[in-house]
Amino acid sequence: MAESRPHKLVLASGSPRRIELLQQAGIEPDRVFPADVDETPLRAEHPRSLAKRLSKDKAEKALVSLMAEAHYAPGFVLAADTVVAVGRRILPKAETIDDAANCLQLLSGRSHRVYSGICVVAPGGKLRQRLVETRVRFKRLSREEIEKYIASGEWRGKAGGYAVQGLAGSFVVKLVGSYTNVVGLPLYETVALLSGEGFKTHANWPASGLS
């Protein structure tokens, strides 16, 4: 028998990867409500600070929009932002071939860090955040590998110009930390944050009926 879950979950992101990761954990957002915020880093802003700030901005903007709706009912709002950086240099979400090529050339044969800020606003208005960091090292990429990867189109819209869950997984020599963080949403920390605020994270888990 399914566990009751009185409060709804709103995901303040339209990312298919984040939706799929939540579903992998047995969590089905009741609503997907992308929050469009300016993601331009502030002057001298550290990648860690950027990830935390943007996740908070997205959660707060989504909440304000939701509260303005006629039939608003308090629920949980979840937002996240992922930043890829080499040192303090923040890599863009690649939108052009040049963006992707520049990112891949910079990442080739080097280590980089992936930061994800997670923000949860509980029904009572309490806001909690977590920051997750993963270290990733790429192999040295040949010109052909970069050209072939760019031709695949998998880089489009991805922070750092790659998607680790696709072809670029073969570039990874070493990964220290959360793999799902690199995909776009660190599952362990997200589930822990939601659960800590009272969200029934196991409500949709299937039951075999065995005693």
Side-chain angles (χ1 to χ4, degrees), residues 50-120:
L50 176 63
K52 282 193 74 174
R53 177 173 66 83
L54 291 181
S55 66
K56 184 172 182 284
D57 287 351
K58 290 176 180 180
E60 291 180 334
K61 183 168 184 179
L63 182 61
V64 168
S65 298
L66 289 164
M67 291 176 69
E69 295 182 346
H71 301 291
Y72 168 74
F76 292 86
V77 176
L78 169 64
D81 190 81
T82 300
V83 173
V84 175
V86 175
R88 292 182 63 98
R89 179 173 175 178
I90 296 168
L91 276 61
K93 289 183 178 176
E95 300 295 345
T96 68
I97 288 175
D98 284 345
D99 285 344
N102 290 337
C103 285
L104 292 169
Q105 287 164 4
L106 182 63
L107 296 174
S108 175
R110 300 179 68 175
S111 293
H112 62 277
R113 295 174 190 262
V114 179
Y115 302 94
S116 283
I118 317 162
C119 184
V120 169

Side-chain angles (χ1 to χ4, degrees), residues 83-87 89-92 94 99-114 134-142 145-146 149 155 158-164 168 171-174 182:
V83 173
V84 175
V86 175
R89 179 173 175 178
I90 296 168
L91 276 61
D99 285 344
N102 290 337
C103 285
L104 292 169
Q105 287 164 4
L106 182 63
L107 296 174
S108 175
R110 300 179 68 175
S111 293
H112 62 277
R113 295 174 190 262
V114 179
T134 304
R135 288 178 289 161
V136 184
R137 182 174 182 83
F138 268 20
K139 61 178 279 190
R140 186 165 298 281
L141 304 175
S142 67
E145 284 173 318
I146 292 175
Y149 187 71
W155 51 270
K158 306 298 193 302
Y162 75 94
V164 74
F171 300 161
V172 177
V173 174
K174 188 176 183 180
V182 185

